């Protein structure tokens, strides 16, 4: 089919090139010359046409998709006209000036008109066809935000196939000089504050944000305006996700909650990370999980000698290993180990074999309700798994050990939270002249395994309802890449025994997240999709904190999004004795004894969270302490 099309165009090109000669001679009224050429110089005409066909091929005029013709194609046509004229003028002069100079100019002019006009007619016909579709209103109307290069390319793609992608009815752009101008025949009707009125006036069904370079704060403000319209909202990827000259409708995606966080991309001190990762053997436990896998991706950027991924979930690490190999490992050696951090003997054997120099400990049981049902498993994995790794790191000379912790460890009300707080205590208390031990604490991670956002999306796809535990529940949120990058940065500035707290921005209401997801899907909360409140689950708090009651911010770090929590250390030998008592309780004691033991280890642990949650509601859903303001004060 493709070869038939090219042969058809070749035949038409020969006809056009022949017609250019005839038309030029007729316009010169030199009919005697015309008869002379066809009787005595037919070979010369064939040679002329042959040279021009070669130029057409060299300039790739047979390879362009003319339904998407743009300035590039016009430049190629103009180049063909100029080069064709030069070559034929030289040829004509060399055989005795068969044509006059004016005739040659006319021939070149009609070459461009006929060859180029035929090709550009593809786009003209398609545009007229699309305009006819517009009258019939058989597809959705689209508003494009951003009338720059990316917006213009997006409009072109829409115009090429409006029945698939929709028809661009208008542009929005904050540049006052663009208002009222036309981009690809589509008018710029206002700025971001006109979005709602333009959507209503133009009967817009879908909005596409086409400004990949926009700051996260501006993106958030624009999307907040879009949410008010009730139209479905999509976006082109950010500059980090896509090169600006590769606009493709396949890359245009639904707006995610991450786009509404309003935080700009994190700037890393690359040298600070490079110095402790380059040419090192790096071990990531829980490497198949959301944070662990992203850590592995980020670590590869800093050229370790060897990356070792350890996880008990073989399917997850198998998929990750294949992904990393596909992306390209460079000179990095990749090793995947299936093992549990709970197996002390196996860990010793692994450390003895691979001799890791840097350890990121992301392996943990993290689901609060499940750990309330299986508290012993939480303690075995989160507490004694961490202790096993710490001991192995001490015994085999690890240089840096970074524990991935959680805001649920602060004044915990759940088994999962208290188990992670004890893990932090182990890392804070251990002292070593060879190994730097540190912990990094952050909140919920958007899109991680088991997080609320993927659940909400599935519920929207199935028509609802969305299930929210409580209308007043709030949480801190970060994206997976954001959290992973800050973990790597914190590992580079650790001094030992410190707990780093990541700047999570403002806490967000879970109910607001649910409503935003519904609106961004082009639906209306409580009308198209219902929201139901399922009630708090065991161990859940309505809010989370970032610092314990005993902690305070020790001071600024070299990174504006990382803070150091002043540690409240126990003597390591004393802590080990307490942990041995906890181990005995796990194997022999009942639940009440276990709770009492945990309360003695972590005095801030409160098994009954009703009083905390009631106080939060009575306080107008405000944080019960000034700890957020306290650590935000040191922001540069």
């Amino acid at each position: 089919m493709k070869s038939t099309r090219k042969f058809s165009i070749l035949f038409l090109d020969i006809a056009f090139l022949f017609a250019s000669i005839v038309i030029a001679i007729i316009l010169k009224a030199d009919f005697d010359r015309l008869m002379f050429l066809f009787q005595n110089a037919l070979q010369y005409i064939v040679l002329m046409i042959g040279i021009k066909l070669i130029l057409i091929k060299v300039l790739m005029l047979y390879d362009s998709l003319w339904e998407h013709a743009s300035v590039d194609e016009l430049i190629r046509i103009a180049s063909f006209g100029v080069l064709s004229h030069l070559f034929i003028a030289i040829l004509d002069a060399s055989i005795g000036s068969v044509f006059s100079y004016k005739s040659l100019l006319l021939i070149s002019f009609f070459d461009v008109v006929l060859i180029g006009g035929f090709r550009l007619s593809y786009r003209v016909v398609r545009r007229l066809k699309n305009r006819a579709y517009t009258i019939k209103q058989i597809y959705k109307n689209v508003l494009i935000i951003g009338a720059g290069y990316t917006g213009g390319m997006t409009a072109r793609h829409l115009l090429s196939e409006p029945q698939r992608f929709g028809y661009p009815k208008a542009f929005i752009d904050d540049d006052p000089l663009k208002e009222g101008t036309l981009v690809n025949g589509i008018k710029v009707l206002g700025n971001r504050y006109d979005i709602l009125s333009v959507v209503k006036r133009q009967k817009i069904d879908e909005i596409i944000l086409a400004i990949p370079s926009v700051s996260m704060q501006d993106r958030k403000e624009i999307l907040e305006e879009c949410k008010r319209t009730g139209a479905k909202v999509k976006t082109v990827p950010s500059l980090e996700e896509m090169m600006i000259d590769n606009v493709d409708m396949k890359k245009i995606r639904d707006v995610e909650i991450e786009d509404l966080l309003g935080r700009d991309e994190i700037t890393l001190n690359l040298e600070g990370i490079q110095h402790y990762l380059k040419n090192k053997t790096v071990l990531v436990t829980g490497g198949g999980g959301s944070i662990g896998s992203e850590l592995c991706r980020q670590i590869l950027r800093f050229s370790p000698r060897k990356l070792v991924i350890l996880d008990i979930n073989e399917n997850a690490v198998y998929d990750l290993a294949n992904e990393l190999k596909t992306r390209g490992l460079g000179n990095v050696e990749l090793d995947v180990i299936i093992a549990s951090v709970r197996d002390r003997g196996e860990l010793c054997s692994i450390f003895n074999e691979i001799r890791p120099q840097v350890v990121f400990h992301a392996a943990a049981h993290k689901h609060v309700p499940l750990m309330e049902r299986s508290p012993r498993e939480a303690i075995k994995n989160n507490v004694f798994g961490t202790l096993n790794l710490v001991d192995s790191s001490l015994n085999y000379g690890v240089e840096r050990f970074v524990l991935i912790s959680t805001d649920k460890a602060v004044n915990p009300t759940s088994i999962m939270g208290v188990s992670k707080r004890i893990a932090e205590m182990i890392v804070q208390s251990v002292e070593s002249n060879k190994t730097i031990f540190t912990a990094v604490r952050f909140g919920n991670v958007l899109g991680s395994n088991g997080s609320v956002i993927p659940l909400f999306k599935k519920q929207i796809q199935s028509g609802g309802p969305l299930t929210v535990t409580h209308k007043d529940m709030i949480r801190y949120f970060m994206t997976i890449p954001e959290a992973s990058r800050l973990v790597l940065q914190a590992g580079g500035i650790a001094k030992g025994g410190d707990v780093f707290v990541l700047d999570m921005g403002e806490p967000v209401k879970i109910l607001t997240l649910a409503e935003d997801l519904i609106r961004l899907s082009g639906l209306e909360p409580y009308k198209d999709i219902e929201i139901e409140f399922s009630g708090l689950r065991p161990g859940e708090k309505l809010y989370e904190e970032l610092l314990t009651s005993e902690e305070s911010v020790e001071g600024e770090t070299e990174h504006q999004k990382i803070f150091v929590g002043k540690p409240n250390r126990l003597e390591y030998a004393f802590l080990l004795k307490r942990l041995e008592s906890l181990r005995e309780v796990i194997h022999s004691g009942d639940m009440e004894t276990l709770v009492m033991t945990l309360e003695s280890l972590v005095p801030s642990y409160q098994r009954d969270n009703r009083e905390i949650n009631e106080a939060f509601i009575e306080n107008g859903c405000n944080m019960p302490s000034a700890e957020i303001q306290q650590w935000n004060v040191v922001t540069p």
Side-chain angles (χ1 to χ4, degrees):
M1 182 68 182
K2 188 175 181 180
S3 59
T4 303
R5 175 178 173 272
K6 284 193 173 183
F7 277 120
S8 299
I9 295 174
L10 174 63
F11 178 78
L12 286 170
D13 284 344
I14 294 171
F16 288 143
L17 293 172
F18 183 79
S20 295
I21 298 171
V22 174
I23 295 171
I25 293 174
I26 290 174
L27 287 177
K28 291 285 292 177
D30 194 354
F31 297 106
D32 292 338
R33 176 64 60 88
L34 182 64
M35 294 303 297
F36 171 80
L37 283 172
F38 291 130
Q39 289 174 1
N40 303 296
L42 191 57
Q43 291 180 342
Y44 174 59
I45 293 174
V46 171
L47 181 59
M48 285 177 62
I49 292 175
I51 291 172
K52 293 178 181 181
L53 290 175
I54 291 171
L55 283 173
I56 290 173
K57 177 64 177 176
V58 169
L59 292 169
M60 298 186 294
L61 295 182
Y62 289 122
D63 301 323
S64 295
L65 295 173
W66 291 93
E67 56 266 37
H68 303 296
S70 62
V71 175
D72 289 338
E73 280 70 32
L74 290 176
I75 291 173
R76 289 181 193 176
I77 292 172
S79 299
F80 163 70
V82 172
L83 293 174
S84 171
H85 180 74
L86 290 174
F87 277 108
I88 300 306
I90 293 170
L91 176 67
D92 190 67
S94 67
I95 63 172
S97 298
V98 176
F99 290 100
S100 67
Y101 185 70
K102 288 184 179 179
S103 295
L104 289 176
L105 282 176
L106 282 173
I107 291 171
S108 297
F109 171 75
F110 284 111
D111 284 346
V112 171
V113 170
L114 294 174
I115 297 291
F118 166 68
R119 283 160 169 76
L120 291 175
S121 66
Y122 270 101
R123 188 170 180 188
V124 173
V125 171
R126 186 177 280 274
R127 178 66 66 87
L128 292 173
K129 183 180 177 182
N130 292 341
R131 294 288 186 185
Y133 278 130
T134 306
I135 297 172
K136 295 178 182 178
Q137 289 291 306
I138 63 171
Y139 43 69
K140 61 191 175 188
N141 293 325
V142 179
L143 172 66
I144 301 175
I145 300 177
Y149 175 84
T150 306
M153 287 294 292
T154 302
R156 253 180 243 158
H157 282 292
L158 293 174
L159 289 168
S160 69
E161 293 187 81
Q163 60 274 25
R164 282 184 61 195
F165 305 127
Y167 184 82
K169 288 282 286 184
F171 278 100
I172 287 289
D173 199 288
D174 284 343
D175 185 351
L177 297 178
K178 290 181 180 178
E179 187 167 349
T181 61
L182 296 177
V183 178
N184 291 312
I186 311 300
K187 198 168 188 178
V188 180
L189 294 183
N191 58 39
R192 71 178 69 177
Y193 304 108
D194 299 311
I195 290 174
L196 181 59
S197 62
V198 170
V199 166
K200 289 181 177 179
R201 195 165 63 246
Q202 299 293 326
K203 296 182 172 56
I204 299 297
D205 303 299
E206 184 174 287
I207 301 172
I208 297 178
L209 176 57
I211 319 175
S213 59
V214 69
S215 71
M216 286 303 297
Q217 185 58 43
D218 282 337
R219 178 182 290 265
K220 179 182 178 182
E221 290 179 8
I222 292 169
L223 292 176
E224 288 292 341
E225 290 294 320
C226 293
K227 279 194 314 185
R228 299 169 55 205
T229 66
K232 185 173 179 61
V233 186
K234 292 188 174 182
T235 181
V236 299
S238 66
L239 284 176
E240 184 182 11
E241 301 171 85
M242 144 187 120
M243 294 297 293
I244 195 168
D245 59 350
N246 281 334
V247 181
D248 188 336
M249 292 306 294
K250 293 177 182 177
K251 294 181 180 178
I252 293 178
R253 58 169 173 81
D254 292 340
V255 168
E256 306 287 355
I257 285 297
E258 292 93 315
D259 297 307
L260 293 173
L261 283 179
R263 293 203 291 271
D264 288 321
E265 181 186 348
I266 292 170
T267 302
L268 295 178
N269 176 0
L270 299 180
E271 290 183 5
I273 300 174
Q274 189 92 16
H275 91 270
Y276 81 96
L277 290 181
K278 187 172 183 178
N279 296 324
K280 299 295 177 68
T281 296
V282 183
L283 169 65
V284 180
T285 72
S290 305
I291 294 295
S293 61
E294 184 62 24
L295 276 173
C296 293
R297 296 182 189 99
Q298 298 285 343
I299 288 167
L300 283 178
R301 296 170 54 194
F302 299 95
S303 305
R305 184 182 68 81
K306 184 176 184 178
L307 174 61
V308 183
I309 306 172
L310 185 147
D311 204 303
I312 196 64
N313 185 339
E314 61 172 312
N315 292 327
V317 290
Y318 177 80
D319 291 340
L320 175 63
N322 285 337
E323 176 198 327
L324 297 179
K325 289 173 185 175
T326 302
R327 288 186 176 196
L329 297 171
N331 296 322
V332 180
E333 182 183 348
L334 181 65
D335 191 9
V336 178
I337 301 175
I338 306 301
S340 170
V341 296
R342 293 161 58 162
D343 190 334
R344 188 181 185 87
E346 182 64 17
L347 279 182
C348 286
S349 175
I350 291 168
F351 271 65
N352 183 51
E353 177 191 348
I354 66 172
R355 300 286 173 160
Q357 294 158 288
V358 181
V359 174
F360 291 96
H361 178 30
H365 287 324
K366 66 177 186 176
H367 293 287
V368 170
L370 295 181
M371 294 307 100
E372 291 298 302
R373 180 67 183 86
S374 306
R376 292 177 179 81
E377 295 305 305
I379 302 300
K380 291 176 187 176
N381 199 63
N382 296 357
V383 175
F384 292 106
T386 300
L387 184 60
N388 291 340
L389 277 167
V390 166
D391 286 346
S392 295
S393 297
L394 286 170
N395 293 335
Y396 291 95
V398 168
E399 296 172 10
R400 289 177 189 264
F401 181 103
V402 182
L403 167 70
I404 311 300
S405 191
T406 169
D407 57 0
K408 292 176 175 60
V410 180
N411 301 323
T413 61
S414 65
I415 292 292
M416 193 283 279
V418 74
S419 69
K420 292 297 285 185
R421 177 60 194 138
I422 298 172
E424 287 184 354
M425 291 165 63
I426 294 170
V427 170
Q428 286 177 295
S429 301
V430 64
E431 294 184 4
S432 170
N433 294 325
K434 296 181 179 179
T435 308
I436 294 175
F437 289 93
T438 191
V440 182
R441 186 189 291 162
F442 50 87
N444 291 42
V445 179
L446 288 167
S448 62
N449 296 332
S451 70
V452 70
I453 301 302
L455 173 62
F456 283 164
K457 288 180 178 179
K458 288 180 182 178
Q459 291 174 336
I460 290 172
Q461 289 172 359
S462 62
L466 268 64
T467 53
V468 177
T469 53
H470 194 285
K471 64 183 180 66
D472 295 318
M473 179 176 280
I474 63 173
R475 288 290 184 268
Y476 290 102
F477 282 100
M478 298 187 87
T479 65
I480 295 174
E482 192 176 18
S484 300
R485 289 169 188 162
L486 287 176
V487 166
L488 292 181
Q489 191 76 78
I493 59 181
K495 297 177 181 177
D498 28 29
V499 172
F500 290 102
V501 181
L502 303 189
D503 180 357
M504 303 289 297
E506 294 296 323
V508 180
K509 264 194 172 187
I510 302 298
L511 177 58
T512 302
L513 282 181
E515 292 171 342
D516 285 348
L517 270 177
I518 294 171
R519 291 192 182 98
L520 291 173
S521 301
L523 303 170
E524 189 175 337
Y526 311 107
K527 181 179 178 182
D528 300 314
I529 300 284
E530 289 294 331
I531 297 177
E532 294 181 354
F533 300 102
S534 57
L536 287 173
R537 297 171 294 183
E540 281 188 325
K541 286 196 294 186
L542 288 176
Y543 63 93
E544 299 292 356
E545 301 163 272
L546 294 171
L547 294 172
T548 69
S549 55
E550 299 87 11
E551 289 175 331
S552 61
V553 173
E554 193 171 62
E556 302 177 23
T557 71
E558 62 189 58
H559 198 286
Q560 62 179 358
K561 288 183 177 289
I562 303 176
F563 305 87
V564 185
K566 187 176 181 179
N568 181 32
R569 295 184 178 181
L570 291 176
E571 185 182 345
Y572 190 58
F574 174 72
L575 179 60
L576 288 180
K577 290 180 181 178
R578 304 288 298 276
L579 291 178
E580 283 306 311
S581 299
L582 178 61
R583 195 191 300 271
E584 292 174 6
V585 171
I586 288 176
H587 292 300
S588 60
D590 58 17
M591 187 60 189
E592 287 306 314
T593 306
L594 175 59
V595 170
M596 291 174 61
T597 306
L598 292 174
E599 286 174 340
S600 68
L601 264 169
V602 184
S604 61
Y605 171 49
Q606 296 187 49
R607 175 72 172 166
D608 189 347
N609 61 353
R610 286 177 296 181
E611 188 175 327
I612 293 175
N613 290 329
E614 288 170 3
F616 176 69
I617 294 172
E618 289 174 5
N619 196 35
C621 298
N622 295 315
M623 302 297 285
S625 70
E627 61 101 11
I628 301 302
Q629 291 79 6
Q630 178 186 21
W631 69 273
N632 273 339
V633 163
V634 301
T635 304

